[in-house]
């Protein structure tokens, strides 16, 4: 299970996503039951990908995340490659296809 970082400011978020490499950003909302249910499943999944750095942002705490990534509802799962959005999943995440996509990306990038 990948623990990851909790990002509490826009500056911390910008520093995280601006780093080179594979970065996974999980954006949630405080009163979202789907957000709470997805987080441990996502952490378990990302534990299989050592090259992917993981962070969590609460959209209510860091309001700039919605503007920066054009987010209208939570949860949102974003994979960034060298600071650019490469993959986006929303509320209804199918973990089988997500794993397949991450396998390909991880193999190509982290090989």
């Amino acid at each position: 299970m990948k623990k990851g970082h909790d990002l509490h400011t826009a500056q911390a978020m910008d520093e995280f996503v601006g780093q080179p490499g594979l970065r996974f950003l999980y954006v949630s909302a405080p009163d979202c039951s789907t957000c709470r249910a997805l987080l441990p499943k996502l952490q378990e999944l990302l534990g299989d990908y050592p090259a992917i750095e993981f962070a969590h942002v609460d959209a209510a705490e860091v309001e700039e995340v919605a503007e920066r990534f054009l987010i209208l509802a939570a949860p949102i799962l974003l994979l960034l490659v060298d600071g650019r959005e490469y993959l986006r999943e929303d509320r209804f995440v199918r973990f089988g296809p997500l794993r397949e996509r991450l396998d390909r990306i991880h193999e190509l990038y982290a090989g």
Side-chain angles (χ1 to χ4, degrees):
M1 180 176 281
K2 189 168 284 217
K3 192 67 173 158
H5 312 278
D6 285 320
L7 306 175
H8 300 285
T9 66
Q11 180 180 352
M13 179 190 65
D14 288 339
E15 288 173 7
F16 177 79
V17 300
Q19 295 293 315
L22 299 169
R23 305 268 178 207
F24 203 102
L25 188 65
Y26 181 68
V27 182
S28 69
D31 295 328
C32 170
S33 60
T34 303
C35 299
R36 285 190 300 277
L38 281 180
L39 183 58
K41 293 177 183 178
L42 181 60
Q43 289 172 311
E44 184 176 332
L45 173 68
L46 292 176
D48 294 337
Y49 304 96
I52 299 176
E53 291 291 323
F54 174 69
H56 169 251
V57 175
D58 182 329
E61 184 177 2
V62 183
E63 295 175 358
E64 295 87 348
V65 72
E67 181 181 332
R68 169 94 187 269
F69 293 104
L70 303 174
I71 295 171
L72 302 175
I76 294 290
L77 293 71
L78 300 169
L79 178 67
L80 301 122
V81 178
D82 294 331
R84 293 190 176 152
E85 185 177 323
Y86 192 82
L87 174 121
R88 177 184 287 242
E89 294 285 332
D90 60 14
R91 299 184 66 87
F92 305 105
V93 178
R94 293 179 24 225
F95 279 89
L98 177 60
R99 178 178 290 281
E100 290 172 8
R101 292 174 75 186
L102 289 175
D103 283 345
R104 281 182 269 150
I105 294 165
H106 193 263
E107 183 179 322
L108 288 171
Y109 194 84

